[in-house]
Amino acid sequence: MTAFAPLLGLLQEVPDHRRAEGKVYQLAYVLLFSILAIVSGGNSYRSIVTFIEMHRPRLNEVFGLTWRRAPAHTAIRYILQGLDCDAVEAAFRGHAKLLQAAHAKPGGGSLAIDGKTLRGSFDAFRDRAAAHLLGLFATDTALVLAHSEVDEKSNEIPAAQALLAELGLAGHLVTLDALHCQRKPSSSPQRPAPT
């Protein structure tokens, strides 16, 4: 459990949107086990349930739980879809910051900011453009330190500037695409097509 204690502590700070009667499974453990399922190859709510059920005796033993069965896939869906995205991002950023501090090389490496349009995120029914995210990557530790969504009516330039200001990266070498070298950022091109 000690290896997961820092992440679990950060996940416990994510607010739980469920009513008190609906909290049979503690949110932090559901989130942690969902993360473990996804990094183990799970790609659906049912695969998260399958992971938890297969490993439930070991998870109970390691984390001191008494779960008799895994949550239903509908419960997992309800829990994950109701999360506060900003709180989850803050937990991930906090965990990445701890890992970066523990494993960064002396003198540090550079940081890279790159944007990607998420395949399959276009929603014609809700008239929503494909989601476009910026990621901040530490080259010395190969860690993604932060994500930031690019506003639908904007592009990467102001989003990258806001991310740099928010994270306080003064004194760090940061690399960006040539898109960010414009003289007039206000006349920047629209976001690229999905890849």
Side-chain angles (χ1 to χ4, degrees):
M1 162 131 171
T2 56
F4 293 105
L7 177 57
L8 194 58
L10 291 164
L11 292 175
Q12 287 170 341
E13 296 175 15
V14 175
D16 195 338
H17 63 91
R18 299 173 292 168
R19 297 184 329 258
E21 303 85 32
K23 296 181 181 178
V24 176
Y25 300 98
Q26 302 97 320
L27 179 66
Y29 292 106
V30 171
L31 294 177
L32 177 62
F33 300 162
S34 297
I35 292 166
L36 294 175
I38 291 167
V39 271
S40 298
N43 60 3
S44 68
Y45 300 118
R46 289 183 192 272
S47 64
I48 292 171
V49 172
T50 301
F51 174 88
I52 294 172
E53 192 54 48
M54 285 180 56
H55 299 285
R56 186 178 46 78
R58 178 91 171 122
L59 294 171
N60 279 343
E61 177 188 333
V62 170
F63 294 98
L65 301 172
T66 57
W67 291 10
R68 292 192 177 128
R69 64 180 190 276
H73 75 277
T74 53
I76 297 285
R77 181 180 66 223
Y78 174 72
I79 291 168
L80 296 181
Q81 287 184 350
L83 289 173
D84 177 350
C85 297
D86 293 333
V88 174
E89 176 66 19
F92 283 139
R93 285 183 184 187
H95 185 60
K97 187 176 182 179
L98 291 172
L99 291 174
Q100 178 70 10
H103 300 289
K105 295 178 176 68
S110 64
L111 302 172
I113 292 181
D114 193 24
K116 295 291 177 201
T117 301
L118 301 181
R119 184 185 302 258
S121 61
F122 172 76
D123 190 347
F125 184 73
R126 292 189 179 108
D127 196 30
R128 186 185 189 295
H132 191 76
L133 294 178
L134 282 181
L136 176 67
F137 179 78
T139 60
D140 60 339
T141 56
L143 288 169
V144 175
L145 302 178
H147 289 101
S148 179
E149 188 167 1
V150 177
D151 189 280
E152 197 172 308
K153 302 201 184 316
S154 186
N155 60 61
E156 285 184 27
I157 295 173
Q161 292 169 347
L163 183 62
L164 289 169
E166 180 183 336
L167 297 174
L169 298 175
H172 288 82
L173 175 63
V174 180
T175 62
L176 300 112
D177 291 335
L179 164 76
H180 299 272
C181 295
Q182 299 180 33
R183 289 180 188 219
K184 295 183 182 180
S186 60
S187 62
S188 57
Q190 296 301 313
R191 70 173 62 172
T195 55

